[in-house]
Amino acid sequence: HAADAHRTDLMTITRHVLNEQTKHAESRGDFTILLSHIVLGCKFVCSAVNKAGLAKLIGLAGETNVQGEEQKKLDVLSHEVFVNALISSGRTCILVSEEDEEATFVDPALRGKYCVVFDPLDGSSNIDCGVSIGTIFGIYMVKDKNEVTINNVLQPGKNMLAAGYCMYGSSCTLVLSTGNGVNGFTLDPSLGEFILTHPNIKIPKKGKIYSVNEGNAKNWDGPTAKFVEKCKFPKDGSSPKSLRYIGSMVADVHRTLLYGGIFLYPADKKSPNGKLRVLYEVFPMSFLMEQAGGQAFTGKQRALDLVPTKIHQRSPIFLGSYDDVEEIKALYAAEE
Ligand code: AHG
Ligand code: MN
Ligand code: MN
Ligand code: MN
């Protein structure tokens, strides 16, 4: 009855991570406990997002964040839920959130060995119109648990132990890598469990979709403009690529991961470092792309090699199918 095994042998995310953790015996389950608290946060946000319209959870919170963005009620609610869940896990020592100017240093009594960077609600501009939004997170191991300073989260993305996102769309999908490939889990609301639905995700080597905000075209630099031009007017007689841009990084990256193609948030004259934040948007998505056989490039270097100096630092990013990113790398190399 192997064919029916999946019906009676539920591969939940917790079980899957426990299996993975046998490869990291040193964690003695700490990582699994941390992850179970991240999963709890995602389940909560999923239910809040689904009833946002009904529960008057849409609209502005009346504050602005360090990014200079007007915070939405769901931004703040999600932020608070994840901070509380992560602290109560007893497995974290520093938290960095898009919605908090300062990092949170966990009280020594509750301190653990993991540093978590996260975007509690990504795609906030899409909340009020019901378009998919998400949560993005990355996990570092603290360098010295007794000397906990901000340097523990100013590490290159390649040092991350794990990264993932949860997309609140037609279904609630959590995509995770702990460094051994990428797996997708879908929330079964009747069980309240994330079940393995997309084992060992690999991104197609080349794609037919490009994803960028064309509204910024006036301000792009040469290589970006040349690349997008090639997507639209290919010289080699191939057919033009399709443009798909949702404006929620989680949704645009999830489609890119499953269908292939390239997602770009380039630098432009107005924002020389682009818009997306290194620690909790660029690094986790780049980590996932590399684990799925794709790549991620900043216009200057491999994204995961970047060493951040500020916790809300931004970087241009080009990520997706291996061959597509190679093309943009060649255009930037020719520019040097
Ligand atoms: P956030 O809602 O967490 O601030 O992130 C929004 C980001 C990202 O989700 C998306 O890719 C990008 O903003 C869209 O920016 P533009 O509207 O400038 O295209
Ligand atoms: Mn924001
Ligand atoms: Mn975001
Ligand atoms: Mn956000």
Side-chain angles (χ1 to χ4, degrees):
H1 302 296
D4 297 346
H6 71 282
R7 251 186 277 285
T8 58
D9 185 17
L10 281 182
M11 182 51 80
T12 63
I13 190 166
T14 307
R15 202 180 135 201
H16 191 270
V17 170
L18 272 173
N19 293 351
E20 298 263 309
Q21 289 312 303
T22 50
K23 299 180 190 105
H24 308 277
E26 88 290 343
S27 75
R28 281 189 312 285
D30 286 346
F31 181 82
T32 308
I33 290 169
L34 169 64
L35 196 92
S36 65
H37 284 77
I38 292 175
V39 165
L40 175 69
C42 293
K43 288 179 187 173
F44 180 91
V45 174
C46 176
S47 78
V49 165
N50 288 346
K51 63 188 171 208
L54 299 170
K56 300 270 175 290
L57 270 175
I58 56 181
L60 297 176
E63 310 283 331
T64 50
N65 63 12
V66 63
Q67 328 286 342
E69 302 162 342
E70 288 184 305
Q71 287 178 309
K72 303 286 175 30
K73 286 182 192 134
L74 266 180
D75 278 326
V76 177
L77 179 75
S78 311
H79 166 75
E80 287 165 3
V81 163
F82 277 106
V83 169
N84 292 335
L86 289 166
I87 291 176
S88 65
S89 76
R91 295 323 189 266
T92 60
C93 56
I94 306 180
L95 309 177
V96 169
S97 163
E98 181 209 353
E99 301 304 331
D100 212 339
E101 180 163 7
E102 303 303 327
T104 299
F105 289 84
V106 179
D107 182 287
L110 268 172
R111 189 168 283 175
K113 58 188 178 182
Y114 296 110
C115 308
V116 182
V117 294
F118 63 102
D119 177 356
L121 204 72
D122 172 72
S124 307
S125 64
N126 282 321
I127 294 173
D128 294 3
C129 64
V131 167
S132 298
I133 51 183
T135 296
I136 311 171
F137 60 90
I139 301 169
Y140 289 108
M141 179 73 85
V142 70
K143 290 182 198 157
D144 174 355
K145 205 181 140 190
N146 304 312
E147 173 59 37
V148 178
T149 66
I150 201 66
N151 293 332
N152 287 285
V153 287
L154 295 175
Q155 300 186 49
K158 63 187 167 193
N159 290 4
M160 283 189 170
L161 291 179
Y165 59 80
C166 191
M167 187 173 76
Y168 312 111
S170 51
S171 62
C172 180
T173 305
L174 199 153
V175 172
L176 172 72
S177 173
T178 60
N180 306 293
V182 180
N183 292 286
F185 303 83
T186 303
L187 182 64
D188 177 337
S190 67
L191 294 174
E193 288 283 358
F194 280 98
I195 306 296
L196 180 66
T197 47
H198 297 72
N200 194 26
I201 299 174
K202 290 295 172 200
I203 183 171
K205 195 164 178 302
K206 191 162 178 45
K208 301 187 179 65
I209 298 169
Y210 75 105
S211 185
V212 69
N213 182 340
E214 286 262 14
N216 298 330
K218 188 165 62 69
N219 299 320
W220 287 338
D221 63 22
T224 291
K226 279 195 195 101
F227 177 78
V228 173
E229 186 69 8
K230 255 181 89 200
C231 292
K232 299 198 276 196
F233 304 95
K235 298 259 183 311
D236 59 3
S238 60
S239 45
K241 290 187 193 285
S242 292
L243 169 60
R244 290 285 183 275
Y245 193 69
I246 302 166
S248 290
M249 187 185 196
V250 170
D252 280 317
V253 167
H254 189 60
R255 184 207 52 250
T256 304
L257 185 65
L258 296 187
Y259 294 1
I262 185 164
F263 171 82
L264 318 93
Y265 207 108
D268 67 39
K269 290 193 195 85
K270 283 183 312 168
S271 353
N273 284 320
K275 171 181 182 180
L276 299 178
R277 282 59 56 117
V278 171
L279 279 183
Y280 40 81
E281 289 171 321
V282 171
F283 279 169
M285 295 316 206
S286 300
F287 185 95
L288 289 167
M289 278 299 162
E290 289 200 359
Q291 286 289 319
Q295 55 177 331
F297 178 64
T298 66
K300 293 193 173 69
Q301 64 186 106
R302 174 193 180 219
L304 292 181
D305 286 341
L306 187 66
V307 180
T309 52
K310 293 238 177 314
I311 59 173
H312 296 296
Q313 178 176 335
R314 298 167 192 253
S315 168
I317 183 70
F318 306 87
L319 57 76
S321 292
Y322 192 89
D323 291 357
D324 295 341
V325 178
E326 277 300 287
E327 284 186 33
I328 193 99
K329 281 165 72 175
L331 288 166
Y332 272 97
E335 187 79 11
E336 270 161 23

